[in-house]
Amino acid sequence: MATQPVNVGARTGSMPSATTPLSAVHPDWRRIAYHLLVSRALDDVEETTNQHKASVPREHLVHYQFSARGHEMSQIILGALLDRPHDAAGAYYRSRPLLLSLGLSIEDALASPLGRTGGFSDGRDIGVVCNLPKRHGAIVLPMSGDVGSQYTPTAGWAQSIQYHRDMLRDEHYAGCIAVALGGDGSVATNGFWAALTIATTLELPMLFYIEDNRLGISVRGDVQTPGGNIAGNLASFGNLFIRDGDGTDPAESARLLDEVVSHVRSGEGPALIHLTVPRLSGHSGADNQRGYRTDEEIARDWKRDPLPRLRAHVVPAFMSEHEWRTLEQEVARDVSTALDGARARATPNPSTVKRFVYAESQQPGDAETVGGLSKAELSALGGTDVALDDGPLIRFADAVRRTIAHELEVNPKVLVFGEDVGVKGGVHLVTEGLQRRFGTQRVFDTSLSEEGIIGRAVGMAVSGLMPVAEIQFRKYADPATEQLNNCGTVRWRTNNQFAAPIVVRMPGGFGKEVGDPWHSLSAEVTWVHGIGWQVLVPSNAADAVGLLRAAMRSLNPSIFFEHRSLLMTSDGSARYPGDEYVLPFGRAKALRQGNAITVVTWGAMVHRCLPAADRFGDRVELFDLRTVAPWDRDSVLASVRKTGRCLIVHEDTLTAGFGAEIAATVAKEAFWWLDAPVERLAVDDVPMPYHEVLLNAVLPDEERIAGAIERTLAQ
């Protein structure tokens, strides 16, 4: 039974005095003081970038500087408590003190803001967008530059702890926790509330660590949160253990942090700790605070500086005055040495900037990636691109269900989840019966939050699981855009240190004799433009099997687009190609051979192009792309060079649809072979309408496609 909410803090009068020995925690105060002094020194160095040489002008080498002044101490104490092999933290831009406490080297801590080689990203990302890959010991998940996006991936890691421990029987996960760090402004974001719902409903081993400096850049706390205290507002939340206190008081911070960490480790559910801290700087290096803070307010914050309070706490109780001065000298020496080392590092090599958009063969010096299935696990799963020719005839939805079921059978790390996928079996009944067969730990329903679905999947994938998440309809992915974009770029922006190869099943497109702006959106080009994603758009059951299985065995994240028309009709029926069938990405299929025009299409439009093409006999060469990221440029270009003409047919809107990319490529790469301009036929630039008459007015059909072929041939 989870402990009911409790709100205890500095203002209750229950804390011990600053000189009271801590029987519960016994922290290593010298270690805490060392890291606090280092953190403070790093902020000093970055703000001058010349290491205390006042006569030298500022060098402006750190373009984005976010000070952690005032926030350091309680973070460092928290880091000292994250000592289990699979603890993890989701951080934000003031979290460097935590990383120092968890083992980040001072040189890496400086090299990343300087944009030098190594560090968090090898110069690819802002220096405060941090991560810490560790094979043994607490890691820091790859953070993003947007506020609040750390919460749901951390919830995914917390759920993966339970799965690794209970389903995979890995005892190393016993007692491990996930911690999401955020400021008071972040508690207004979708990510915070989605993660809070996930953690409390599932009683996850997750800690919400909120450090409150009363300002979201310039916005006061009571504008961000009613009453200005998220801990007070959540007092009635079920299954949430709450502590509230002063993050500048060493003894109180240590005691409260020990309480919440111990609570979460005990398996009694999630906890939230709210600690007030001062902001002893502008929001960033470029913010002088003029206009929204008075000199008196800034002075009051400096009176709450945790550094002198820590010094008073540890001297003379835990170290002598001489030992403190020696520690300061040690820090000055270590930071100076690290700064020299960071400066001496090379600038990033521009020839490598295109590496790691996708997984690639390892080269000497490449980082070992954290996330996804191992290459050994993938190799053991096997697979073939040769389809059986005597399989039963099945519909599209049955093919998807059968493929998911087989992968659940052969790979214990596969999990399937989304809104209504469990008991109901999905709104299109694609996952019908899977929960009864494989259990609620592997096939389960989620709360109604696409941010929560995708963010959770990211955290699970980083932990080594294979999440298959469903977004009910393509349009419903919009609230998850931030998480989807971040997932696609995670390998590139961490320089191959992390990856999150998830599969997102996403139905969309027009339905059986019906459309509308909300359930019938196509817009697959959005995710083609989403760097790092594989976008798969099968037109039939056999291709659906091969592409979905390939996605579930891939080192990269994949959008698997399930067309509603194919789910609702028998148009995509095909023979089942077998339980081992894996279809390589970027391999188009020539459905008709021809010599006068190349027609390129994908998805449900294939079934409208086929009868139109058949009217012209061997004059039409028809290609089903099957995947649009990557797409088969070579086959299309070779065909156009043979036929001299090209028509692209797709369901997305004409303006900026993916057909424009194909047309531009053909115009450039096959220009001298063209006998006519490249043509496109697509949906008019309007939302998908509801009534059948209106739907038919904008959607390419057999007659329009045949007309476009005829006009192009006549040129």
Side-chain angles (χ1 to χ4, degrees):
M1 190 74 173
T3 304
Q4 291 303 306
V6 181
N7 195 344
V8 178
R11 289 164 289 283
T12 66
S14 60
M15 69 170 183
S17 70
T19 57
T20 302
L22 296 174
S23 58
V25 188
H26 295 301
D28 182 346
W29 288 112
R30 188 185 190 282
R31 172 188 169 188
I32 292 165
Y34 174 84
H35 289 307
L36 198 160
L37 289 167
V38 167
S39 179
R40 193 64 62 94
L42 295 183
D43 286 337
D44 290 340
V45 166
E46 287 175 354
E47 289 174 356
T48 58
T49 326
N50 56 40
Q51 199 187 10
H52 309 300
K53 297 176 182 177
S55 61
V56 180
R58 181 175 174 178
E59 298 177 63
H60 295 289
L61 294 181
V62 178
H63 300 291
Y64 294 92
Q65 198 273 338
F66 290 82
S67 172
R69 277 193 189 85
H71 293 231
E72 315 100 319
M73 186 186 66
S74 50
Q75 279 190 34
I76 293 165
I77 295 171
L78 172 64
L81 296 172
L82 299 181
D83 56 2
R84 301 294 173 89
H86 296 291
D87 287 344
Y92 81 116
Y93 51 82
R94 296 200 201 281
S95 298
R96 186 167 62 185
L98 173 83
L99 273 79
L100 291 168
S101 183
L102 292 177
L104 175 70
S105 73
I106 304 174
E107 186 174 313
D108 270 350
L110 284 165
S112 295
L114 289 171
R116 302 303 172 88
T117 55
F120 304 138
S121 70
D122 203 44
R124 296 173 177 221
D125 208 341
I126 303 171
V128 294
V129 176
C130 55
N131 60 73
L132 190 65
K134 294 170 71 176
R135 289 290 170 182
H136 303 286
I139 73 167
V140 176
L141 301 173
M143 67 167 280
S144 305
D146 26 48
V147 175
S149 62
Q150 68 271 32
Y151 288 107
T152 53
T154 307
W157 185 280
Q159 189 170 355
S160 77
I161 288 172
Q162 292 182 333
Y163 191 85
H164 281 282
R165 182 194 67 206
D166 301 337
M167 300 299 292
L168 300 180
R169 305 297 182 188
D170 189 339
E171 62 183 17
H172 296 99
Y173 282 83
C176 295
I177 67 172
V179 182
L181 291 84
D184 51 294
S186 71
V187 303
T189 64
N190 294 340
F192 173 80
W193 290 99
L196 191 65
T197 298
I198 295 168
T200 52
T201 56
L202 299 180
E203 299 188 26
L204 297 181
M206 180 172 177
L207 171 61
F208 294 81
Y209 173 95
I210 308 301
E211 46 190 27
D212 186 353
N213 62 27
R214 309 299 194 198
L215 288 166
I217 303 185
S218 65
V219 179
R220 304 284 173 167
D222 56 359
V223 177
Q224 301 280 2
T225 302
N229 187 336
I230 190 64
N233 292 347
L234 293 175
S236 63
F237 234 72
N239 299 329
L240 185 65
F241 181 83
I242 297 174
R243 288 292 182 262
D244 186 10
D246 182 354
T248 71
D249 184 304
E252 182 181 355
S253 294
R255 179 177 58 81
L256 295 179
L257 283 164
D258 181 64
E259 286 187 34
V260 291
V261 170
S262 297
H263 173 86
V264 179
R265 289 205 193 283
S266 71
E268 295 186 82
L272 180 143
I273 184 167
H274 171 261
L275 296 173
T276 56
V277 295
R279 199 180 80 184
L280 305 181
S281 63
H283 167 71
S284 66
D287 175 25
N288 60 20
Q289 307 185 77
R290 290 181 188 146
Y292 68 90
R293 296 190 86 190
T294 66
D295 291 341
E296 292 75 15
E297 288 172 332
I298 294 172
R300 281 198 299 270
D301 259 4
W302 274 102
K303 289 179 180 178
R304 298 182 61 232
D305 184 355
L307 179 54
R309 296 193 74 177
L310 176 64
R311 189 181 189 284
H313 179 74
V314 301
V315 178
F318 298 97
M319 66 172 63
S320 67
E321 183 74 36
H322 173 73
E323 288 172 322
W324 180 271
R325 288 196 300 271
T326 301
L327 183 62
E328 290 178 322
Q329 294 168 0
E330 180 184 338
V331 167
R333 182 188 67 243
D334 291 349
V335 170
S336 177
T337 300
L339 180 59
D340 290 342
R343 286 177 179 279
R345 290 189 185 186
T347 55
N349 183 351
S351 69
T352 67
V353 72
K354 295 182 181 180
R355 293 197 68 197
F356 306 128
V357 172
Y358 297 106
E360 54 188 71
S361 298
Q362 293 293 102
Q363 296 180 11
D366 288 349
E368 184 179 3
T369 308
V370 176
L373 301 177
S374 69
K375 291 184 178 179
E377 289 172 318
L378 292 172
S379 178
L381 291 171
T384 176
D385 62 356
V386 179
L388 300 177
D389 55 12
D390 58 351
L393 189 67
I394 59 173
R395 291 166 62 116
F396 191 97
D398 298 325
V400 174
R401 183 187 309 112
R402 186 163 175 173
T403 304
I404 294 173
H406 179 75
E407 295 305 295
L408 282 163
E409 280 185 348
V410 301
N411 184 358
K413 293 189 173 181
V414 171
L415 299 92
V416 178
F417 52 90
E419 298 160 19
D420 301 304
V421 305
V423 176
K424 179 177 174 58
V427 293
H428 296 99
L429 302 182
V430 173
T431 57
E432 186 178 25
L434 294 182
Q435 188 179 83
R436 290 192 299 273
R437 183 173 171 186
F438 295 100
T440 58
Q441 297 299 309
R442 303 196 65 197
V443 181
F444 55 88
D445 294 318
T446 68
S447 53
L448 203 162
S449 168
E450 285 75 23
E451 153 99 18
I453 292 170
I454 301 302
R456 173 195 332 222
V458 169
M460 289 177 168
V462 173
S463 84
L465 301 179
M466 178 64 256
V468 181
E470 179 184 295
I471 300 295
Q472 279 188 350
F473 296 95
R474 160 65 189 88
K475 181 67 173 65
Y476 295 0
D478 289 357
T481 299
E482 185 174 82
Q483 290 295 338
L484 287 162
N485 284 329
N486 293 347
C487 177
T489 61
V490 66
R491 184 187 293 275
W492 179 88
R493 58 190 167 82
T494 65
N495 196 37
N496 203 45
Q497 294 185 128
F498 284 91
I502 69 177
V503 175
V504 183
R505 296 177 43 245
M506 194 179 291
F510 68 92
K512 182 182 180 182
E513 301 175 348
V514 68
D516 71 81
W518 318 111
H519 302 87
S520 302
L521 183 68
S522 179
E524 66 275 14
V525 71
T526 302
W527 310 117
V528 180
H529 193 254
I531 294 170
W533 283 97
Q534 298 164 155
V535 183
L536 326 173
V537 194
S539 67
N540 61 79
D543 287 354
V545 170
L547 292 175
L548 180 56
R549 179 166 291 116
M552 295 170 72
R553 299 180 180 187
S554 177
L555 294 171
N556 302 306
S558 303
I559 301 288
F560 184 77
F561 195 88
E562 300 174 11
H563 201 284
R564 290 181 65 213
S565 177
L566 304 182
L567 291 171
M568 299 168 74
T569 69
S570 60
D571 284 352
S573 297
R575 297 208 172 272
Y576 185 67
D579 289 339
E580 300 303 319
Y581 185 54
V582 177
L583 185 60
F585 303 141
R587 183 190 294 179
K589 185 176 183 180
L591 302 176
R592 297 289 186 271
Q593 298 292 329
N595 54 35
I597 184 172
T598 301
V599 177
V600 181
T601 191
W602 55 92
M605 284 293 111
V606 167
H607 302 283
R608 298 189 170 203
C609 287
L610 277 166
D614 287 342
R615 297 186 186 189
F616 299 89
D618 63 359
R619 302 186 72 192
V620 176
E621 187 145 289
L622 176 61
F623 278 93
D624 176 2
L625 281 187
R626 304 198 283 199
T627 68
V628 290
W631 67 283
D632 193 346
R633 296 163 51 101
D634 292 342
S635 293
V636 171
L637 289 171
S639 177
V640 173
R641 288 168 182 150
K642 178 179 70 172
T643 66
R645 291 176 175 83
C646 183
L647 169 66
I648 304 151
V649 182
H650 63 79
E651 184 181 338
D652 200 357
T653 51
L654 184 70
T655 301
F658 188 62
E661 174 66 24
I662 300 172
T665 300
V666 170
K668 180 177 185 296
E669 302 295 336
F671 177 80
W672 298 109
W673 288 267
L674 287 172
D675 297 321
V678 179
E679 296 290 344
R680 290 178 291 150
L681 182 63
V683 171
D684 295 330
D685 289 343
V686 297
M688 196 69 77
Y690 169 62
H691 194 278
E692 183 180 1
V693 171
L694 299 177
L695 178 67
N696 291 336
V698 301
L699 198 62
D701 58 13
E702 180 183 339
E703 291 301 323
R704 287 194 186 87
I705 296 167
I709 293 173
E710 188 171 17
R711 289 191 300 274
T712 308
L713 285 170
Q715 295 184 60

